[in-house]
Amino acid sequence: MMHAMGQGDLSVLVTAEAIRSRVWELAVEIDGWGNGVHELHVVGVLKGGVVFLADLIRALSRPVTIDFVAMSSYGQDTKPSSEPRLIKSLDEGIEDRDVLVVEDIVDTGCTLSWLLNYIETRRPRSLRSVALLDKPARRQVDVRVDLVGFRIQDHFVVGYGLDFAERYRHLPYLGVLEPSGTRTEDDAFVTTLDAE
Ligand code: IMP
């Protein structure tokens, strides 16, 4: 399915239905961590991770609290221009809490790597991370992601919280944004894998 959205072609990469069932699978996995007894303190990364976080916490059976951080974004560009920067810090202390960082996509890995180090210095009892998407081809730093929704090829993805210049976040599916005419229909570019 292709949609002309004015800034290039948008084709569906992962349908809303496929996202929904994968989010439930991730929630089952997360519920099982540490026997699901302790409350999980879920830290979302604004703004891209917000839709994923909202669906994920409602699929969990264990008790959760939530907080958000905001990191510097790509702005109008599709490539990172500088080191990650913390724009909004945590509202609550995390010492002795079981923290789960929820990220939209791990691309170069710089943002998540920086964030995990930052959170680690605040001495949580445990720290894990889940990313809806992983683009391993673009990795620049070695970062541990405990759980991944979909591993994808090197495409710029929008929808389900992810943006291009603040647009497309509201789409219920994940789409690939390409300059007009560059996308071939037989591109197979998504696999579902759990990170080790
Ligand atoms: P990283 O630091 O390069 O791993 O990038 C992390 C952040 O860049 C993500 O949290 C996203 O906000 C943004 N980003 C990376 N790739 C994409 C993409 O394909 N679409 C939209 N945003 C992206």
Side-chain angles (χ1 to χ4, degrees):
M1 198 195 318
M2 299 279 272
H3 303 270
M5 301 283 282
Q7 293 166 321
D9 292 328
L10 186 63
S11 51
V12 177
L13 176 64
V14 188
T15 63
E17 185 52 45
I19 296 170
R20 198 173 307 123
S21 58
R22 185 64 184 137
V23 167
W24 277 95
E25 286 175 5
L26 296 172
V28 167
E29 190 93 17
I30 293 166
D31 273 332
W33 288 345
N35 297 324
V37 182
H38 293 297
E39 182 177 83
L40 205 54
H41 190 56
V42 178
V43 174
V45 185
L46 295 172
K47 303 173 193 168
V50 80
V51 177
F52 177 40
L53 180 144
D55 283 347
L56 187 66
I57 58 172
R58 286 178 293 171
L60 290 171
S61 299
R62 62 193 298 169
V64 297
T65 51
I66 62 172
D67 201 350
F68 292 96
V69 293
M71 308 286 292
S72 51
S73 79
Y74 295 180
Q76 303 279 313
D77 209 348
T78 57
K79 299 256 172 5
S81 52
S82 57
E83 288 292 298
R85 231 167 4 100
L86 196 65
I87 295 168
K88 181 207 165 295
S89 182
L90 294 165
D91 289 336
E92 291 181 44
I94 53 167
E95 200 166 327
D96 290 331
R97 297 172 91 165
D98 294 300
V99 174
L100 173 67
V101 172
V102 176
E103 176 66 301
D104 54 355
I105 183 167
V106 185
D107 186 27
T108 63
C110 295
T111 305
L112 186 61
S113 169
W114 190 95
L115 186 58
L116 292 176
N117 286 334
Y118 167 79
I119 290 180
E120 197 70 72
T121 61
R122 301 186 163 214
R123 295 198 299 257
R125 176 166 43 212
S126 67
L127 175 59
R128 302 213 212 196
S129 57
V130 58
L132 178 69
L133 299 170
D134 180 18
K135 262 197 263 186
R138 300 237 325 142
R139 197 71 90 254
Q140 286 174 16
V141 297
D142 193 18
V143 62
R144 186 185 125 210
V145 194
D146 294 291
L147 214 46
V148 167
F150 302 96
R151 194 157 287 159
I152 62 169
Q153 292 182 14
D154 183 9
H155 294 279
F156 197 79
V157 180
V158 294
Y160 198 70
L162 288 96
D163 75 311
F164 171 69
E166 293 301 327
R167 301 251 160 73
Y168 308 108
R169 293 192 196 274
H170 63 293
L171 298 176
Y173 58 89
L174 288 157
V176 172
L177 197 58
E178 306 278 15
S180 299
T182 57
R183 163 100 162 79
T184 57
E185 280 304 326
D186 59 354
D187 246 353
F189 44 15
V190 59
T191 53
T192 307
L193 288 172
D194 290 345
E196 286 302 306

